[in-house]
C-alpha cells in the first residue's frame, strides 16, 4: 500500500469479499507491537477455517483491510516515531509522513464502516483507583471536540462494549476506558471525523503470572468478537452503557517497587536526607 520514509514496504492484508469494510492498523508507533501478530493470526485463522460458520460468515459479509505494521522504520529501531522523528499519530492534518499519507489514502478509497487503531499504552496504568493493572483500555474515538454521537460512533461504542464483555473472563477487572480528550491532529480523531468511526485498543500491563504474548491473544479475541458481532446484527445486542460505565485509565497509580523511609547521600555532601 506504500513505502516508509526510508523505503521499506508498508503491507496491507485484504481478506473477505463483503461490501462492508473494516480497517485495522497496528504499530503506528514502532515500539507498540502487541496487536501486530494478532492481525496476522486473525488472517491465518479465518482463511484456515472457511468450513466453519463464523469465519465463513465474516469472510462473506466483510472485507478486512489489515495493516500489521504502519511504521516499519520505527519498528526497526523499536522507537515511537518514524524516520523523520515525527509521531505519525499526530500527522493527520499536515500529512508530512508517507506513512500517514498511505493510511489516509486507504481510508479515503475504501470508506470503511469501522476502524481499529491498535496501540500499547504505559504498562503501569491502572483501572481507575482499583489498584488493578489496566490490561486493556478502549475508546470510541470522538470526531469533534463536542464528542458528538453519530450512528457510526454509536457502533464504535457498541464495539467497545463487546470487547469488554469478551475479555472480562480472561482479565477480571482489567478493562479501562482510555482518556477521552479531543486531539485535532490525531489520526483516530480525524478518521472518525472523515466518516469512519474508530475504536482505539490500548494493550497495557499484565499480572506477573501472564506472559507478554497474552496481550496478543487478548487482541485476537477482542477483534474477532467485534467482527462476529458486526456480521450477526451490527453489534445491536451489545449495550453501549457497558462501555460508558468503564473506569478511566489512571496514571501514576501503580508502582512495581516502593522504597519507604529511604535516605539519600549525594556526592560531595556529608549528611544524608530523607527522600
Amino acid at each position: 500500500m506504500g513505502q516508509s520514509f526510508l523505503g521499506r514496504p508498508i503491507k496491507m492484508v485484504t481478506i473477505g469479499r463483503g461490501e462492508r469494510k473494516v480497517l485495522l492498523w497496528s504499530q503506528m508507533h514502532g515500539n507498540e507491537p502487541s496487536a501486530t501478530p494478532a492481525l496476522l493470526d486473525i488472517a491465518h485463522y479465518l482463511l484456515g477455517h472457511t468450513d466453519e460458520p463464523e469465519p465463513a460468515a465474516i469472510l462473506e459479509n466483510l472485507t478486512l483491510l489489515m495493516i500489521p505494521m504502519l511504521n516499519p522504520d520505527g519498528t526497526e529501531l523499536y522507537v515511537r516515531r518514524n524516520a523523520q522523528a515525527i509521531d505519525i499519530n499526530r500527522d493527520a492534518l499536515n500529512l508530512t509522513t508517507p506513512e500517514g499519507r498511505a493510511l489516509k489514502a486507504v481510508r479515503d478509497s475504501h470508506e470503511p464502516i469501522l476502524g481499529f487503531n491498535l496501540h500499547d499504552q504505559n504498562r503501569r496504568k491502572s483501572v481507575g483507583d482499583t489498584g488493578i493493572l489496566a490490561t486493556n483500555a478502549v475508546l470510541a474515538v470522538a470526531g469533534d471536540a463536542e464528542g458528538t454521537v453519530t450512528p457510526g460512533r454509536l457502533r464504535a461504542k457498541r464495539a467497545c462494549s463487546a470487547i469488554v464483555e469478551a475479555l472480562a473472563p480472561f482479565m477480571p477487572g482489567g478493562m479501562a476506558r482510555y482518556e477521552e480528550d479531543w486531539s485535532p491532529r490525531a489520526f483516530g480523531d480525524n478518521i472518525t471525523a472523515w466518516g469512519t468511526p474508530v475504536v482505539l485498543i490500548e494493550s497495557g500491563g499484565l499480572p506477573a503470572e501472564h506472559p507478554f504474548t497474552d496481550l496478543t491473544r487478548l487482541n485476537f479475541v477482542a477483534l474477532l468478537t467485534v467482527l462476529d458481532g458486526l456480521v450477526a446484527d451490527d453489534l445491536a445486542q451489545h449495550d453501549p452503557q457497558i462501555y460508558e460505565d468503564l473506569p478511566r485509565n489512571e496514571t501514576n497509580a501503580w508502582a512495581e517497587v516502593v522504597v519507604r523511609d529511604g535516605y539519600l547521600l549525594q556526592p560531595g555532601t556529608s549528611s544524608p536526607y530523607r527522600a
Side-chain angles (χ1 to χ4, degrees), residues 2 22 92 141 160 186 219 224-225 238 261 270:
V22 179
V141 182
C160 289
N219 274 282
L224 275 179
T225 297
H238 298 285
D261 295 322
S270 59

Side-chain angles (χ1 to χ4, degrees), residues 140-240:
V141 182
D144 56 31
E146 293 73 31
T148 302
V149 180
T150 63
R153 189 158 180 246
L154 180 59
R155 177 187 291 125
K157 290 188 176 192
R158 293 186 184 278
C160 289
S161 294
I163 292 169
V164 173
E165 293 174 299
L167 298 190
F170 301 100
M171 292 293 166
M175 290 294 301
R177 183 171 168 181
Y178 198 76
E179 298 87 354
E180 194 164 339
D181 296 324
W182 163 249
S183 181
R185 297 182 297 131
F187 255 100
D189 305 61
N190 280 283
I191 287 181
T192 296
W194 297 332
T196 296
V198 170
V199 172
L200 172 70
I201 302 179
E202 295 267 359
S203 298
L206 285 163
E209 67 272 16
H210 288 270
F212 183 78
T213 48
D214 275 1
L215 293 174
T216 295
R217 299 172 191 270
L218 293 170
N219 274 282
F220 178 88
V221 171
L223 294 170
L224 275 179
T225 297
V226 176
L227 296 177
D228 189 55
L230 285 171
V231 170
D233 57 6
D234 201 19
L235 299 163
Q237 62 183 301
H238 298 285
D239 183 359

Side-chain angles (χ1 to χ4, degrees), residues 67-146:
I67 306 167
M69 188 183 294
L70 183 65
N71 183 6
D73 295 343
T75 299
E76 181 71 17
L77 298 175
Y78 202 70
V79 296
R80 178 181 179 90
R81 298 168 183 258
N82 79 338
Q84 298 162 278
I86 294 174
D87 183 343
I88 301 170
N89 200 27
R90 297 296 182 269
D91 187 39
L93 297 184
N94 288 337
L95 296 175
T96 303
T97 62
E99 299 90 350
R101 292 193 295 271
L103 178 60
K104 187 176 190 304
V106 169
R107 206 296 321 169
D108 291 350
S109 61
H110 292 279
E111 298 184 340
I113 64 161
L114 193 62
F116 285 92
N117 190 6
L118 305 171
H119 288 266
D120 289 64
Q121 68 175 10
N122 187 315
R123 310 244 183 252
R124 294 176 181 83
K125 290 192 175 184
S126 68
V127 180
D129 59 1
T130 64
I132 300 174
L133 280 175
T135 299
N136 291 95
V138 292
L139 179 66
V141 182
D144 56 31
E146 293 73 31

